[in-house]
Every structure is written in structure tokens, then in C-alpha cells.
Amino acid sequence: MASRRFIDGPPDGIEGWKRVWEEDLSPKPRRGLLDDIRRFFGKLIAGEQLSVQRNYNIALTEMLADHHRDVEAIRRRVEEAAAALERIDTILPIAVDRNDALFAVLDQKIESALSRFRDLTLPRLSGPEASQQLRDDWSYRRLEEHLRGSPAEIRRAMRELLPYLSEPLIDVGCGRGELLEVCREEGIDARGFDMNERSVAELQEKGLAAEIGRLPECLASVEDDAVSTVAAIHVVEHLPTEALFGLFAEAARVLQRGGRLVIETPNASSLAMTGSDFWKDPSHLAPRHPAALVTLGREYGFGVALMDEVHPWPADQMISLPEGAPEIASLVERLNEILYSPQDFRLVLSNDG
């Protein structure tokens, strides 16, 4: 009779139990009445019944082992899927940004092509002798497309001016006509002047009141005390000194008592503007300092109704405060005030008569 084999302790997991049943191992015998009773009844279950039970137990442990391997395989696949999702979470924003940038470029190219087509198909407002001026006008319109932002963005900015506007209104240097469009939407009687023949032709095609005219001569045909608002939005930085003085003089003449001269221009107090962005437009002559504009306004009889710096720089372009350095907070704030004062200066002058 083969000698019995024993195990020292409880089996370790499914594989341990499988080994117990396959090798017919038994726990080491212990002395005592309870152990004698177990041995007695064990002999009663000997033979074929015990063999069936052992085979059943072996099959059960094999099934549990297969189940355990399946669970482990599923767990690994779940972990791999989670890792893939994490990579997607990292890659997806980059892909979206790249797609957005691609569509923005495509939109810009399409709009540029459409603008060139419109320039070619719009009627001529000047004679054949103005061909060189016409080519310059086309070139400047391309600059506007690339540097000024979309017409929708500019219209939103123009709406900020509505509290200071009343009719009748003249927009000198009306450009692409965003302010004229906002005035039409709001039912404000407005007309504009601009030097760019192509821009004026397009505005007339849109049904807006616009004429070719250079400052300050464009205001010469306007009667005294005839208008309520003269708007010069991003105009004064394009004017030589004599024309700048002429703007103030003519505005004082054509405005009704209490009428307003509304000026917006790149902020000369912002070094980030005057040191870089201002010079993107080659037609800019010089930044016009707020102090100079206020002094000119008072010289020509205007009172100051509003002076404000508007359109702050994006926060990510400004100097940020390092963590754990509160002692330099005031220095960082002061540097941002000097370097990154808001991009534009808005001045509303009232004709006090």
C-alpha cells in the first residue's frame, strides 16, 4: 500500500488546491478524539465515491484556474484601453488645435480670394489716371485683412462705442465700414469718408453712405453745426501733424453744441504696443499720446467727456508672478502697467462751444 503524502498548511490559491487533489495530498494527522472520528468516517467514504469527489474537485479547480486567467486577460485589456484613452486625451486637444488653426488659415485664404475678386468686380470710382493709386488701395486692403482682425470682431468692438454716438454721424477714415454697419443696425444716420477707393466702392455696393475723401478736406463740404458725432476710429495715428490739427479744427466747426468727437487709437502709453504691434501697419506714422490729444482737444474748445484705456492684453502675454514670491508682486504689477497697458486709448471730447 502506497504511503500517504501530506501538506504542511492550507493550499496557496487555485493552483495549490489543484495540486492537492491531483497528487492526493492530505493534511498532516493530528491527535485527538475529533481527528479519530474524521479518520473513521473517511474510511466509510473510501473507494469509488472518494475518487469521484477527487475528480470533481480537480475539474472544479481547473475551471476556476481558466476563469482566473480570463479575468487577468480582461484586466490587462482594460488597463491597455485606459492607457490608450489617456494618450487620446493628451493627443486630442493638440489635434483639435491644429485642425482649428488649419481651418482658420483656409478661411483666411478663402476670404482673401473673395476680397480680391470683389476688388476686381467692383465699379471704378476714379478715372484711368488713378491706376497706381488703385493698386495701392488693393495692397492696403490686404493689410487690413491680415492685421485688423475679422469684420465680425471689429463690429463687436465698435458696439462698445454706441453709448457715445448720436446722429447725424460722420465716420472719418471709415475703412471697411464696420462702424457704419453697426450704425445702420441701430438706426443711426451715419455716413463715412475714406481715402481707399476699393473700400468706398464696396461700402457703396452694400448700400452704405460712403465717399472718397481725405482728412481734413473731406469735412470742408459739411456745414457748420451740422452733425452730432464725428468718429475717428484708428485714424489719428495715420495723420501727419497738419492733418491732425485740421481734424480737430474741422470737427469743432461741424459739430453741434454738445456734439462729440470720438477718437480711438493705439495706446501710446503701452510699450508693448508702441515697441512692436503698432509698427505692423506701415501706414502708421506715429503713436499719438493721450496727453497730446487731450491738449489739442482743449485748444480747439473741447471738453473731456471720457478718456480710457481699453482692450487689455491677453493674460498669457503679460508678466506672471512666480509662485511663492509675494514680495515682488508690486514690482510685477508695475511692470505690467508700463509694458502692457491696454492696447487702445479711447477719448470722447464734447464740443462745449
Side-chain angles (χ1 to χ4, degrees), residues 35-316:
D35 294 318
D36 292 339
I37 294 172
R38 283 176 179 162
R39 282 194 296 274
F40 173 76
F41 282 103
K43 291 177 181 178
L44 294 180
I45 313 175
E48 184 177 349
Q49 184 177 358
L50 184 60
S51 176
V52 170
Q53 180 66 45
R54 186 169 67 85
N55 292 337
Y56 171 80
N57 290 341
I58 291 172
L60 180 62
T61 55
E62 288 177 347
M63 183 184 70
L64 290 174
D66 290 342
H67 177 69
H68 179 72
R69 284 191 293 271
D70 291 342
V71 170
E72 283 298 306
I74 292 172
R75 183 182 62 79
R76 285 194 298 272
R77 286 197 290 270
V78 169
E79 289 176 349
E80 291 169 358
L85 287 174
E86 187 174 351
R87 288 195 298 273
I88 291 173
D89 287 341
T90 303
I91 295 171
L92 188 59
I94 298 173
V96 170
D97 288 344
R98 288 179 178 174
N99 284 339
D100 288 346
L102 176 61
F103 283 121
V105 170
L106 289 175
D107 287 344
Q108 189 179 56
K109 290 184 179 296
I110 292 170
E111 180 57 33
S112 179
L114 290 174
S115 296
R116 290 174 185 269
F117 179 76
R118 287 195 298 268
D119 283 347
L120 290 171
T121 56
L122 288 170
R124 293 284 297 275
L125 301 183
S126 53
E129 68 280 359
S131 59
Q132 179 58 51
Q133 178 61 43
L134 197 62
R135 284 196 295 271
D136 292 343
D137 289 349
W138 286 345
S139 298
Y140 187 73
R141 279 164 64 80
R142 302 292 81 76
L143 280 173
E144 282 189 313
E145 290 166 11
H146 291 287
L147 300 180
R148 289 200 65 198
S150 71
E153 292 171 336
I154 301 302
R155 278 195 295 272
R156 284 195 293 271
M158 293 298 180
R159 286 193 161 274
E160 299 173 9
L161 301 172
L162 284 174
Y164 317 113
L165 307 181
S166 54
E167 60 181 1
L169 177 148
I170 292 180
D171 182 11
V172 293
C174 58
R176 295 183 300 187
E178 291 92 349
L179 181 58
L180 294 178
E181 290 178 331
V182 168
C183 288
R184 180 166 63 182
E185 292 168 1
E186 296 297 321
I188 298 172
D189 177 23
R191 59 175 169 144
F193 293 96
D194 200 271
M195 291 171 52
N196 192 296
E197 194 257 21
R198 292 291 81 195
S199 294
V200 171
E202 184 173 8
L203 295 178
Q204 290 180 357
E205 284 287 305
K206 293 179 178 179
L208 295 166
E211 303 173 38
I212 297 174
R214 181 187 300 270
L215 274 171
E217 292 83 3
C218 63
L219 293 174
S221 61
V222 181
E223 296 181 359
D224 296 357
D225 307 321
V227 297
S228 181
T229 306
V230 172
I233 310 304
H234 286 270
V235 169
V236 297
E237 64 272 17
H238 296 267
L239 300 178
T241 305
E242 297 79 3
L244 180 64
F245 287 9
L247 166 64
F248 280 85
E250 285 295 282
R253 179 183 65 80
V254 303
L255 280 170
Q256 304 162 357
R257 183 175 178 81
R260 290 170 172 172
L261 172 58
V262 180
I263 295 173
E264 194 169 294
T265 185
N267 186 7
S269 299
S270 171
L271 293 185
M273 173 58 69
T274 58
S276 177
D277 279 31
F278 182 86
W279 302 107
K280 288 179 180 178
D281 188 337
S283 67
H284 283 176
L285 295 182
R288 300 305 181 185
H289 198 281
L293 297 175
V294 170
T295 300
L296 272 175
R298 287 174 173 156
E299 183 69 19
Y300 284 93
F302 289 99
V304 177
L306 172 78
M307 49 188 301
D308 194 15
E309 294 178 330
V310 295
H311 307 140
W313 293 91
D316 60 0

Side-chain angles (χ1 to χ4, degrees), residues 15 26 83 138 166 192 330:
E15 292 299 326
S26 300
W138 286 345
S166 54
S330 59

